Amino acid sequence: MSTTTPPLPDVLDAGLLSPVRAGTPAEAATSDGAWLQALLDAEAALVRAQASLGNVPVEAAEAITALARADALDLREIAVLGRGAANPVVALVQAFTALVAAKAPDAADYVHRGSTSQDIFDTALMLVAGRTLDLLVADLEGIAECLGSLAGEHARTLMAGRTLALHAVPTTFGLKAAGWLAAVCEAAGRLRRVRAEGLVVQLGGAAGTLAGYVEYEKLHRGAREETVAEGYAARLTDRFAAETGLSAPVLPWHSHRAPIAALAAELALTTGVLGKIAVDVQSLARTETAEVAEPAATRGAPSAGAVLNALSGPAPSLAGRAVFSLFCNPVRRGKVLPREQAVHEQARTEELTVGGQRVRVYRWGNGERPVLMLHGWQSRASRYAGFVPRFQELGLTPVSFDAPGHGESGGRGATILEYREIIRRLQDGHGAFHSVIAHSLGATSVLLALRSGTEAGRLVTVAAVKDFGHFPEKFADILGLRPGLRRDLRDRIEHQLFAEVSRPWELFDATRRPDEIKVPMRIIHDEDDEMVPVEQAYALKAAYGDRAELVITAGLGHRKVLGEAAVIDSAMDFVARPVPGE
């Protein structure tokens, strides 16, 4: 009998002995790979901040940011080398500097310039915390929605109240669930406040004085005045915070650690809230009590719409908030499909911060002009994988992004105004677009952007929505919502989501003031689109007249149409035509 030990798996920790976190989004967000990326993001943000203040060449900052990808470094090697310094930053800086020196030699001297390990490590910690908190808050909001349903459904379901584990006056299970709900909502609110205000960058240098950063500024400026040094330290901290999407501290916190303690306290409170629910359910489900049970989730479970409709009677405000939350936040993030993987990995990436949310931007190649690709709701940039090589063949540079709450971006969801702002920022960075191709919500957003100053030579829309009000109406149709909840949703969209906008339904209509958009466009729509009826395409064509060409397909639906070879051919044929005036 052989006693040879079989080879062990390459994965060092798959969660075998900690199944509670195995496979969860938070596990990925706090993994070693996520930490390495956060460390690189901190380094890249620092050099961008320095470049924005003029003492690092912008080209060097761009090169360092483009190369700051965890998959370009050997994670295991950095971990092993980190034993010597008791933290991974020293080894990371050595490996990353070598990478930059090989790929962009002129930028290598600006990696980690004037910095210290703790600045990078602590800032990375805050980045990891922020990205994980986004996921945790989303989970808590989902739990709150379920608890709201329980509270409404069982508002009159009697059960024994208890004092010191003994029967007392009667109560209802709905009240107990409402108590759980209130605690979960409070915990989620506290985590949101920490996310918005309590996650701060660390920037102090070796002893908290920012001396290293200031000395490089003096060398660059040839300045000797202390006032210059003091002003620079404050400006650099503010710019660093802006580049990371974190807050700026009053002072360096390398020795007092209050931000970490505050974060830990709120996470401990959240754990206690969830633990209380678990203990209550465990106690009430005991054989000798048997007041609650945990049936399989698929056993006759009512639809979300049915639950919300039922809740709207006894708790209309709670039901309205739940509907609004579902509307504003994608139910799931689209994953990179196998057929998209190769093209996705070829992209150079960078990040923007828009509305306090981290936005992942993708760029392929270095063509003469950029072409912008915009995805729709619950989609992602990788869905344009079939278009990327075709655009490159035309000598163009495809540019795209994952909207907030989508793909690899942070946040929970995106509005049409955030789409417009991202488009504006990309035009500022890449120049006027040769062409734009946009799907669904992306198409509605770019038409708004074109009326707001975005420049493009041609526009291709796929499954575009003309009437902005179609989005909540279709959402309500899918859930089968009652008229009262439909009205409440529109009211919340108008007065909460777009409180700063007058008449959003008119402003966001894709055919508003059509004469302001001179861009030639091709409107592609499938007659079997189950999400956006083909009548929306005919309305767009009618509004834009001779500037628009209408192409109707069949049998593809709303999502499949974007990857169809004939649709890609049609878009490329239109984009390849000479742009008027060029």
Side-chain angles (χ1 to χ4, degrees):
M1 177 182 295
S2 173
T3 58
T4 303
T5 302
L8 296 176
D10 291 336
V11 178
L12 295 177
D13 185 0
L16 184 65
L17 301 183
S18 51
V20 171
R21 54 92 169 167
T24 64
E27 178 186 43
T30 56
S31 67
D32 283 355
W35 262 96
L36 181 59
Q37 186 59 58
L39 291 165
L40 289 167
D41 290 341
E43 292 283 5
L46 176 60
V47 75
R48 290 197 303 273
Q50 292 169 322
S52 71
L53 296 179
N55 66 11
V56 168
V58 172
E59 297 79 8
E62 292 176 346
I64 290 170
T65 298
L67 292 168
R69 296 181 52 157
D71 57 9
L73 299 176
D74 188 327
L75 174 60
R76 178 64 172 170
E77 180 182 17
I78 291 172
V80 171
L81 293 175
R83 289 184 298 183
N87 78 74
V89 179
V90 174
L92 168 72
V93 171
Q94 292 173 348
F96 186 47
T97 302
L99 174 66
V100 175
K103 301 289 186 179
D106 292 342
D109 287 343
Y110 300 101
V111 174
H112 201 69
R113 196 170 192 244
S115 191
T116 191
S117 295
Q118 190 154 9
D119 287 351
I120 300 303
F121 187 88
D122 286 348
T123 300
L125 168 61
M126 294 290 107
L127 288 172
V128 169
R131 294 163 186 176
T132 309
L133 283 178
D134 289 339
L135 301 172
L136 297 183
V137 169
D139 278 350
L140 290 174
E141 290 176 347
I143 292 169
E145 290 167 12
C146 293
L147 292 176
S149 300
L150 279 177
E153 183 180 351
H154 294 284
R156 294 178 175 82
T157 302
L158 291 174
M159 65 179 293
R162 291 175 171 82
T163 300
L164 299 177
L166 302 177
H167 280 198
V169 296
T171 184
T172 68
F173 183 67
L175 181 59
K176 177 172 282 293
W180 294 339
L181 172 62
V184 167
C185 289
E186 172 66 15
R190 294 173 74 104
L191 290 184
R192 287 192 203 96
R193 286 193 291 275
V194 170
R195 178 69 176 93
E197 303 169 6
L199 302 184
V200 293
V201 295
Q202 173 71 279
L203 200 68
T209 63
L210 286 88
Y213 303 111
V214 171
E215 286 304 312
Y216 275 110
E217 171 67 1
K218 287 181 177 180
L219 288 172
H220 177 71
R221 303 289 181 189
R224 294 293 182 270
E225 298 86 352
E226 287 301 317
T227 54
V228 173
E230 292 174 5
Y232 177 76
R235 292 194 302 274
L236 180 61
T237 301
D238 289 341
R239 287 305 310 155
F240 188 38
E243 290 292 341
T244 59
L246 301 172
S247 299
V250 176
L251 290 170
W253 48 276
H254 60 291
S255 60
H256 65 73
R257 319 308 282 165
I260 297 176
L263 172 63
E266 299 301 349
L267 291 173
L269 183 144
T270 301
T271 302
V273 165
L274 299 176
K276 170 66 165 61
I277 298 173
V279 169
D280 281 353
V281 171
Q282 182 185 47
S283 177
L284 294 173
R286 293 170 62 178
T287 303
E288 60 269 33
T289 306
E291 292 183 7
V292 302
E294 297 182 87
T298 56
R299 189 184 303 164
S303 69
V307 171
L308 293 167
N309 285 331
L311 183 61
S312 66
S317 179
L318 184 62
R321 290 199 302 272
V323 169
F324 183 59
S325 178
L326 284 173
F327 176 79
C328 292
N329 303 298
V331 176
R332 61 185 179 275
R333 289 175 180 259
K335 297 183 180 298
V336 178
L337 302 177
R339 66 174 181 270
E340 303 165 352
Q341 191 68 45
V343 172
H344 177 72
E345 292 177 352
Q346 292 168 8
R348 298 177 64 181
T349 62
E350 59 185 36
E351 290 190 350
L352 303 175
T353 300
V354 175
Q357 302 186 103
R358 178 176 53 83
V359 178
R360 177 63 60 88
V361 176
Y362 304 90
R363 184 181 71 186
W364 289 266
N366 293 289
E368 294 183 6
R369 294 279 302 280
V371 57
L372 180 63
M373 308 180 300
L374 300 173
H375 69 74
W377 196 249
Q378 289 189 177
S379 186
R380 59 178 298 146
S382 63
R383 297 296 180 263
Y384 284 99
F387 290 82
V388 169
R390 301 288 297 275
F391 282 129
Q392 290 180 299
E393 290 172 5
L394 296 176
L396 301 172
T397 299
V399 177
S400 191
F401 61 89
D402 293 334
H406 296 71
E408 296 173 29
S409 289
R412 296 209 56 223
T415 70
I416 188 172
L417 294 179
E418 287 167 332
Y419 265 82
R420 182 179 67 176
E421 175 60 15
I422 297 168
I423 293 169
R424 184 192 68 79
R425 296 271 297 275
L426 291 178
Q427 178 173 274
D428 289 346
H430 297 276
F433 301 110
H434 174 280
S435 303
V436 178
I437 180 166
H439 179 247
S440 192
L441 175 61
T444 310
S445 302
V446 77
L447 286 165
L448 175 65
L450 287 168
R451 293 199 302 272
S452 305
T454 295
E455 299 178 34
R458 292 192 176 279
L459 171 64
V460 178
T461 70
V462 182
V465 177
K466 174 266 178 192
D467 178 13
F468 186 73
H470 173 76
F471 290 110
E473 279 303 310
K474 184 62 180 180
F475 173 81
D477 288 344
I478 292 172
L479 291 180
L481 297 180
R482 291 175 176 173
L485 284 177
R486 292 171 183 259
R487 290 191 297 270
D488 183 85
L489 175 59
R490 283 184 65 96
D491 186 70
R492 290 176 187 271
I493 291 171
E494 186 169 349
H495 296 103
Q496 295 183 34
L497 192 61
F498 299 115
E500 74 281 14
V501 175
S502 176
R503 300 195 301 272
W505 312 108
E506 177 184 338
L507 176 64
F508 301 149
D509 190 293
T511 59
R512 180 173 183 261
R513 300 205 302 259
D515 291 341
E516 294 183 2
I517 299 179
K518 308 298 184 182
V519 179
M521 63 180 72
R522 174 166 286 186
I523 301 166
I524 303 175
H525 210 108
D526 193 78
E527 64 181 16
D528 299 311
D529 191 319
E530 72 283 8
M531 299 299 294
V532 182
V534 71
E535 287 75 17
Q536 299 267 334
Y538 288 115
L540 285 171
K541 167 61 179 170
Y544 291 100
D546 293 340
R547 281 164 290 162
E549 300 177 9
L550 182 61
V551 176
I552 302 297
T553 60
L556 299 175
H558 185 68
R559 299 190 183 279
K560 186 179 177 182
V561 64
L562 197 59
E564 180 66 19
V567 171
I568 297 174
D569 288 342
S570 177
M572 290 302 112
D573 170 71
F574 184 72
V575 169
R577 297 178 188 175
V579 175
E582 291 191 357

